[in-house]
Amino acid sequence: MVLSVGSAHAASFPFTDGAGKLDTKIWYVANGWANGEHQSCEWRAEAITFTETVARLRLSDQGGKVRPLGCAEMHTTTLHGYGTYRARLKTAAGSGLNTAFFTYVGPAVHGGEHSEIDFEFLGKNPRTVQLNFFDKGVSQGEKLIDLGFDASADFHDYSFVWAPDR
């Protein structure tokens, strides 16, 4: 998966610090742990490479201490609110793969109740996107959308608007 800087404020969210290194004041990269028993990959920092405006996230057969596969996860270190969120993605294809971009607030990371807006591309069918919204830990209605194209065949732009009333 390749991710372009993903918010309405893209100019203020470069991936690198100007010297070619990840700007850790803005970005956190998961490394050396897994997200529950349902997942067979371990987050690996080396699964992500950066330029100023592009992050390339890879899946590999090089796992680590807790899982046999290596995968990538990153997020901002600060909370963001209402606005337009954008990502330019070429998704992964294959059973068991999930390419996603989403907002998240919850007890494990920020305290408080779980709230989330999801764009998830399930690799078993790269012609669809699964959308979901959680408010106070409750799904507000998952939707599976037929894209009319193969999201893994090329790069495509995706976005959503988060506003106080929608």
Side-chain angles (χ1 to χ4, degrees), residues 132-160:
N132 205 348
F133 165 57
F134 291 84
D135 184 31
K136 297 178 182 144
V138 177
S139 172
Q140 302 301 305
E142 174 184 300
K143 295 185 188 319
L144 194 60
I145 308 294
D146 183 346
L147 295 170
F149 58 88
D150 182 344
S152 69
D154 205 351
F155 292 92
H156 300 279
D157 297 314
Y158 304 94
S159 67
F160 63 86

Side-chain angles (χ1 to χ4, degrees), residues 90-149:
K90 181 177 180 181
T91 67
S95 182
L97 301 177
N98 181 351
T99 302
F101 82 98
F102 55 94
T103 66
Y104 173 83
V105 169
V109 179
H110 308 101
E113 296 182 282
H114 171 208
S115 294
E116 185 171 341
I117 302 169
D118 290 330
F119 257 66
E120 294 192 19
F121 301 84
L122 306 178
K124 66 182 178 183
N125 185 357
R127 300 183 65 80
T128 62
V129 62
Q130 179 180 301
L131 306 176
N132 205 348
F133 165 57
F134 291 84
D135 184 31
K136 297 178 182 144
V138 177
S139 172
Q140 302 301 305
E142 174 184 300
K143 295 185 188 319
L144 194 60
I145 308 294
D146 183 346
L147 295 170
F149 58 88

Side-chain angles (χ1 to χ4, degrees), residues 1-3 46-51 54-58 72 74 155:
M1 176 180 99
V2 174
L3 172 68
E46 62 270 12
I48 305 176
T49 55
F50 303 93
T51 68
V54 174
R56 184 172 303 273
L57 290 75
R58 295 178 317 280
M74 61 184 290
F155 292 92

Side-chain angles (χ1 to χ4, degrees), residues 2-26:
V2 174
L3 172 68
S4 294
V5 175
S7 91
H9 311 288
S12 64
F13 280 21
F15 290 117
T16 61
D17 62 5
K21 296 189 184 234
L22 177 68
D23 190 339
T24 56
K25 292 179 187 149
I26 299 173

